[in-house]
PDB file of all heavy atoms in Angstrom:
ATOM      1  N   GLN A 166       1.727 -10.626 -27.323  1.00  0.00           N
ATOM      2  CA  GLN A 166       0.655  -9.640 -27.384  1.00  0.00           C
ATOM      3  C   GLN A 166      -0.368  -9.989 -26.321  1.00  0.00           C
ATOM      4  O   GLN A 166      -0.865 -11.116 -26.258  1.00  0.00           O
ATOM      5  CB  GLN A 166       0.008  -9.632 -28.767  1.00  0.00           C
ATOM      6  CG  GLN A 166      -1.118  -8.609 -28.903  1.00  0.00           C
ATOM      7  CD  GLN A 166      -1.732  -8.614 -30.288  1.00  0.00           C
ATOM      8  OE1 GLN A 166      -1.205  -9.234 -31.193  1.00  0.00           O
ATOM      9  NE2 GLN A 166      -2.861  -7.940 -30.440  1.00  0.00           N
ATOM     10  N   VAL A 167      -0.683  -9.025 -25.472  1.00  0.00           N
ATOM     11  CA  VAL A 167      -1.607  -9.241 -24.355  1.00  0.00           C
ATOM     12  C   VAL A 167      -2.942  -8.607 -24.684  1.00  0.00           C
ATOM     13  O   VAL A 167      -3.042  -7.401 -24.882  1.00  0.00           O
ATOM     14  CB  VAL A 167      -1.039  -8.640 -23.054  1.00  0.00           C
ATOM     15  CG1 VAL A 167      -2.009  -8.880 -21.901  1.00  0.00           C
ATOM     16  CG2 VAL A 167       0.326  -9.234 -22.746  1.00  0.00           C
ATOM     17  N   ASN A 168      -3.987  -9.437 -24.730  1.00  0.00           N
ATOM     18  CA  ASN A 168      -5.343  -8.954 -24.976  1.00  0.00           C
ATOM     19  C   ASN A 168      -6.265  -9.440 -23.870  1.00  0.00           C
ATOM     20  O   ASN A 168      -6.131 -10.576 -23.404  1.00  0.00           O
ATOM     21  CB  ASN A 168      -5.881  -9.470 -26.319  1.00  0.00           C
ATOM     22  CG  ASN A 168      -5.036  -8.984 -27.482  1.00  0.00           C
ATOM     23  OD1 ASN A 168      -4.736  -7.809 -27.584  1.00  0.00           O
ATOM     24  ND2 ASN A 168      -4.634  -9.900 -28.342  1.00  0.00           N
ATOM     25  N   ILE A 169      -7.212  -8.599 -23.453  1.00  0.00           N
ATOM     26  CA  ILE A 169      -8.168  -9.039 -22.441  1.00  0.00           C
ATOM     27  C   ILE A 169      -9.083 -10.092 -23.046  1.00  0.00           C
ATOM     28  O   ILE A 169      -9.463 -10.008 -24.206  1.00  0.00           O
ATOM     29  CB  ILE A 169      -8.979  -7.857 -21.884  1.00  0.00           C
ATOM     30  CG1 ILE A 169      -9.701  -8.271 -20.603  1.00  0.00           C
ATOM     31  CG2 ILE A 169      -9.947  -7.304 -22.905  1.00  0.00           C
ATOM     32  CD1 ILE A 169     -10.208  -7.115 -19.790  1.00  0.00           C
ATOM     33  N   SER A 170      -9.389 -11.115 -22.288  1.00  0.00           N
ATOM     34  CA  SER A 170     -10.160 -12.239 -22.801  1.00  0.00           C
ATOM     35  C   SER A 170     -11.616 -11.853 -23.038  1.00  0.00           C
ATOM     36  O   SER A 170     -12.142 -10.919 -22.433  1.00  0.00           O
ATOM     37  CB  SER A 170     -10.119 -13.403 -21.815  1.00  0.00           C
ATOM     38  OG  SER A 170      -8.798 -13.858 -21.660  1.00  0.00           O
ATOM     39  N   ASN A 171     -12.261 -12.624 -23.893  1.00  0.00           N
ATOM     40  CA  ASN A 171     -13.643 -12.342 -24.261  1.00  0.00           C
ATOM     41  C   ASN A 171     -14.633 -12.576 -23.132  1.00  0.00           C
ATOM     42  O   ASN A 171     -15.756 -12.095 -23.179  1.00  0.00           O
ATOM     43  CB  ASN A 171     -14.050 -13.202 -25.470  1.00  0.00           C
ATOM     44  CG  ASN A 171     -13.279 -12.803 -26.711  1.00  0.00           C
ATOM     45  OD1 ASN A 171     -12.900 -11.653 -26.859  1.00  0.00           O
ATOM     46  ND2 ASN A 171     -13.040 -13.763 -27.591  1.00  0.00           N
ATOM     47  N   ASP A 172     -14.237 -13.356 -22.099  1.00  0.00           N
ATOM     48  CA  ASP A 172     -15.180 -13.671 -21.034  1.00  0.00           C
ATOM     49  C   ASP A 172     -15.278 -12.544 -20.005  1.00  0.00           C
ATOM     50  O   ASP A 172     -16.002 -12.647 -19.032  1.00  0.00           O
ATOM     51  CB  ASP A 172     -14.819 -14.983 -20.327  1.00  0.00           C
ATOM     52  CG  ASP A 172     -13.453 -14.927 -19.659  1.00  0.00           C
ATOM     53  OD1 ASP A 172     -12.709 -13.967 -19.908  1.00  0.00           O
ATOM     54  OD2 ASP A 172     -13.154 -15.856 -18.898  1.00  0.00           O
ATOM     55  N   ASN A 173     -14.565 -11.444 -20.227  1.00  0.00           N
ATOM     56  CA  ASN A 173     -14.657 -10.310 -19.319  1.00  0.00           C
ATOM     57  C   ASN A 173     -15.535  -9.243 -19.946  1.00  0.00           C
ATOM     58  O   ASN A 173     -15.324  -8.840 -21.086  1.00  0.00           O
ATOM     59  CB  ASN A 173     -13.263  -9.724 -19.049  1.00  0.00           C
ATOM     60  CG  ASN A 173     -12.486 -10.592 -18.091  1.00  0.00           C
ATOM     61  OD1 ASN A 173     -12.573 -10.428 -16.892  1.00  0.00           O
ATOM     62  ND2 ASN A 173     -11.710 -11.528 -18.646  1.00  0.00           N
ATOM     63  N   SER A 174     -16.503  -8.781 -19.186  1.00  0.00           N
ATOM     64  CA  SER A 174     -17.393  -7.740 -19.700  1.00  0.00           C
ATOM     65  C   SER A 174     -16.775  -6.368 -19.456  1.00  0.00           C
ATOM     66  O   SER A 174     -15.893  -6.204 -18.622  1.00  0.00           O
ATOM     67  CB  SER A 174     -18.752  -7.820 -19.005  1.00  0.00           C
ATOM     68  OG  SER A 174     -18.598  -7.657 -17.614  1.00  0.00           O
ATOM     69  N   THR A 175     -17.246  -5.398 -20.196  1.00  0.00           N
ATOM     70  CA  THR A 175     -16.779  -4.032 -20.035  1.00  0.00           C
ATOM     71  C   THR A 175     -17.884  -3.207 -19.379  1.00  0.00           C
ATOM     72  O   THR A 175     -19.020  -3.218 -19.831  1.00  0.00           O
ATOM     73  CB  THR A 175     -16.426  -3.405 -21.394  1.00  0.00           C
ATOM     74  OG1 THR A 175     -15.412  -4.192 -21.993  1.00  0.00           O
ATOM     75  CG2 THR A 175     -15.928  -1.977 -21.219  1.00  0.00           C
ATOM     76  N   LEU A 176     -17.546  -2.537 -18.318  1.00  0.00           N
ATOM     77  CA  LEU A 176     -18.526  -1.729 -17.595  1.00  0.00           C
ATOM     78  C   LEU A 176     -18.380  -0.276 -18.029  1.00  0.00           C
ATOM     79  O   LEU A 176     -17.330   0.336 -17.857  1.00  0.00           O
ATOM     80  CB  LEU A 176     -18.285  -1.839 -16.074  1.00  0.00           C
ATOM     81  CG  LEU A 176     -19.199  -0.989 -15.189  1.00  0.00           C
ATOM     82  CD1 LEU A 176     -20.647  -1.422 -15.359  1.00  0.00           C
ATOM     83  CD2 LEU A 176     -18.761  -1.096 -13.743  1.00  0.00           C
ATOM     84  N   ASN A 177     -19.436   0.257 -18.620  1.00  0.00           N
ATOM     85  CA  ASN A 177     -19.457   1.653 -19.000  1.00  0.00           C
ATOM     86  C   ASN A 177     -20.276   2.419 -17.970  1.00  0.00           C
ATOM     87  O   ASN A 177     -21.470   2.178 -17.814  1.00  0.00           O
ATOM     88  CB  ASN A 177     -20.089   1.831 -20.389  1.00  0.00           C
ATOM     89  CG  ASN A 177     -19.250   1.162 -21.462  1.00  0.00           C
ATOM     90  OD1 ASN A 177     -18.047   1.327 -21.494  1.00  0.00           O
ATOM     91  ND2 ASN A 177     -19.902   0.400 -22.322  1.00  0.00           N
ATOM     92  N   ALA A 178     -19.640   3.312 -17.255  1.00  0.00           N
ATOM     93  CA  ALA A 178     -20.325   4.026 -16.181  1.00  0.00           C
ATOM     94  C   ALA A 178     -20.214   5.525 -16.399  1.00  0.00           C
ATOM     95  O   ALA A 178     -19.174   6.028 -16.826  1.00  0.00           O
ATOM     96  CB  ALA A 178     -19.731   3.655 -14.823  1.00  0.00           C
ATOM     97  N   THR A 179     -21.280   6.223 -16.093  1.00  0.00           N
ATOM     98  CA  THR A 179     -21.289   7.676 -16.174  1.00  0.00           C
ATOM     99  C   THR A 179     -21.447   8.224 -14.767  1.00  0.00           C
ATOM    100  O   THR A 179     -22.391   7.869 -14.059  1.00  0.00           O
ATOM    101  CB  THR A 179     -22.439   8.174 -17.060  1.00  0.00           C
ATOM    102  OG1 THR A 179     -22.294   7.636 -18.361  1.00  0.00           O
ATOM    103  CG2 THR A 179     -22.438   9.700 -17.128  1.00  0.00           C
ATOM    104  N   GLN A 180     -20.507   9.044 -14.364  1.00  0.00           N
ATOM    105  CA  GLN A 180     -20.546   9.588 -13.011  1.00  0.00           C
ATOM    106  C   GLN A 180     -21.000  11.036 -13.092  1.00  0.00           C
ATOM    107  O   GLN A 180     -20.386  11.863 -13.761  1.00  0.00           O
ATOM    108  CB  GLN A 180     -19.150   9.501 -12.370  1.00  0.00           C
ATOM    109  CG  GLN A 180     -19.158   9.833 -10.894  1.00  0.00           C
ATOM    110  CD  GLN A 180     -17.795   9.574 -10.277  1.00  0.00           C
ATOM    111  OE1 GLN A 180     -16.791   9.672 -10.961  1.00  0.00           O
ATOM    112  NE2 GLN A 180     -17.773   9.264  -8.999  1.00  0.00           N
ATOM    113  N   ASN A 181     -22.102  11.346 -12.406  1.00  0.00           N
ATOM    114  CA  ASN A 181     -22.689  12.680 -12.464  1.00  0.00           C
ATOM    115  C   ASN A 181     -22.515  13.343 -11.110  1.00  0.00           C
ATOM    116  O   ASN A 181     -23.152  12.951 -10.124  1.00  0.00           O
ATOM    117  CB  ASN A 181     -24.169  12.582 -12.834  1.00  0.00           C
ATOM    118  CG  ASN A 181     -24.775  13.937 -13.121  1.00  0.00           C
ATOM    119  OD1 ASN A 181     -24.062  14.932 -13.176  1.00  0.00           O
ATOM    120  ND2 ASN A 181     -26.081  13.960 -13.298  1.00  0.00           N
ATOM    121  N   ILE A 182     -21.617  14.308 -11.031  1.00  0.00           N
ATOM    122  CA  ILE A 182     -21.330  14.963  -9.763  1.00  0.00           C
ATOM    123  C   ILE A 182     -21.704  16.431  -9.868  1.00  0.00           C
ATOM    124  O   ILE A 182     -21.269  17.135 -10.788  1.00  0.00           O
ATOM    125  CB  ILE A 182     -19.835  14.835  -9.404  1.00  0.00           C
ATOM    126  CG1 ILE A 182     -19.441  13.351  -9.333  1.00  0.00           C
ATOM    127  CG2 ILE A 182     -19.521  15.543  -8.096  1.00  0.00           C
ATOM    128  CD1 ILE A 182     -17.969  13.136  -9.088  1.00  0.00           C
ATOM    129  N   GLN A 183     -22.513  16.914  -8.907  1.00  0.00           N
ATOM    130  CA  GLN A 183     -22.883  18.319  -8.859  1.00  0.00           C
ATOM    131  C   GLN A 183     -21.784  19.087  -8.130  1.00  0.00           C
ATOM    132  O   GLN A 183     -21.458  18.783  -6.979  1.00  0.00           O
ATOM    133  CB  GLN A 183     -24.222  18.482  -8.132  1.00  0.00           C
ATOM    134  CG  GLN A 183     -25.393  17.796  -8.811  1.00  0.00           C
ATOM    135  CD  GLN A 183     -25.680  18.407 -10.180  1.00  0.00           C
ATOM    136  OE1 GLN A 183     -25.523  19.613 -10.372  1.00  0.00           O
ATOM    137  NE2 GLN A 183     -26.115  17.569 -11.118  1.00  0.00           N
ATOM    138  N   VAL A 184     -21.185  20.057  -8.813  1.00  0.00           N
ATOM    139  CA  VAL A 184     -20.072  20.800  -8.238  1.00  0.00           C
ATOM    140  C   VAL A 184     -20.534  22.185  -7.823  1.00  0.00           C
ATOM    141  O   VAL A 184     -21.118  22.925  -8.629  1.00  0.00           O
ATOM    142  CB  VAL A 184     -18.915  20.926  -9.257  1.00  0.00           C
ATOM    143  CG1 VAL A 184     -17.765  21.739  -8.651  1.00  0.00           C
ATOM    144  CG2 VAL A 184     -18.451  19.541  -9.676  1.00  0.00           C
ATOM    145  N   ASN A 185     -20.300  22.524  -6.568  1.00  0.00           N
ATOM    146  CA  ASN A 185     -20.629  23.851  -6.051  1.00  0.00           C
ATOM    147  C   ASN A 185     -19.363  24.706  -6.115  1.00  0.00           C
ATOM    148  O   ASN A 185     -18.455  24.569  -5.304  1.00  0.00           O
ATOM    149  CB  ASN A 185     -21.128  23.745  -4.607  1.00  0.00           C
ATOM    150  CG  ASN A 185     -21.671  25.053  -4.085  1.00  0.00           C
ATOM    151  OD1 ASN A 185     -21.145  26.128  -4.377  1.00  0.00           O
ATOM    152  ND2 ASN A 185     -22.737  24.962  -3.294  1.00  0.00           N
ATOM    153  N   GLN A 186     -19.304  25.600  -7.110  1.00  0.00           N
ATOM    154  CA  GLN A 186     -18.087  26.370  -7.342  1.00  0.00           C
ATOM    155  C   GLN A 186     -17.766  27.302  -6.172  1.00  0.00           C
ATOM    156  O   GLN A 186     -16.608  27.476  -5.797  1.00  0.00           O
ATOM    157  CB  GLN A 186     -18.240  27.192  -8.628  1.00  0.00           C
ATOM    158  CG  GLN A 186     -18.406  26.363  -9.890  1.00  0.00           C
ATOM    159  CD  GLN A 186     -17.137  25.597 -10.235  1.00  0.00           C
ATOM    160  OE1 GLN A 186     -16.069  25.904  -9.733  1.00  0.00           O
ATOM    161  NE2 GLN A 186     -17.278  24.601 -11.100  1.00  0.00           N
ATOM    162  N   SER A 187     -18.779  27.912  -5.577  1.00  0.00           N
ATOM    163  CA  SER A 187     -18.523  28.842  -4.482  1.00  0.00           C
ATOM    164  C   SER A 187     -17.975  28.127  -3.256  1.00  0.00           C
ATOM    165  O   SER A 187     -17.134  28.655  -2.522  1.00  0.00           O
ATOM    166  CB  SER A 187     -19.817  29.590  -4.113  1.00  0.00           C
ATOM    167  OG  SER A 187     -20.812  28.674  -3.671  1.00  0.00           O
TER     168      SER A 187
END
Side-chain angles (χ1 to χ4, degrees):
Q166 181 179 350
V167 180
N168 299 311
I169 194 164
S170 297
N171 293 330
D172 62 349
N173 284 272
S174 59
T175 301
L176 177 63
N177 296 313
T179 301
Q180 189 173 29
N181 189 7
I182 302 176
Q183 298 296 325
V184 179
N185 188 322
Q186 297 292 343
S187 62

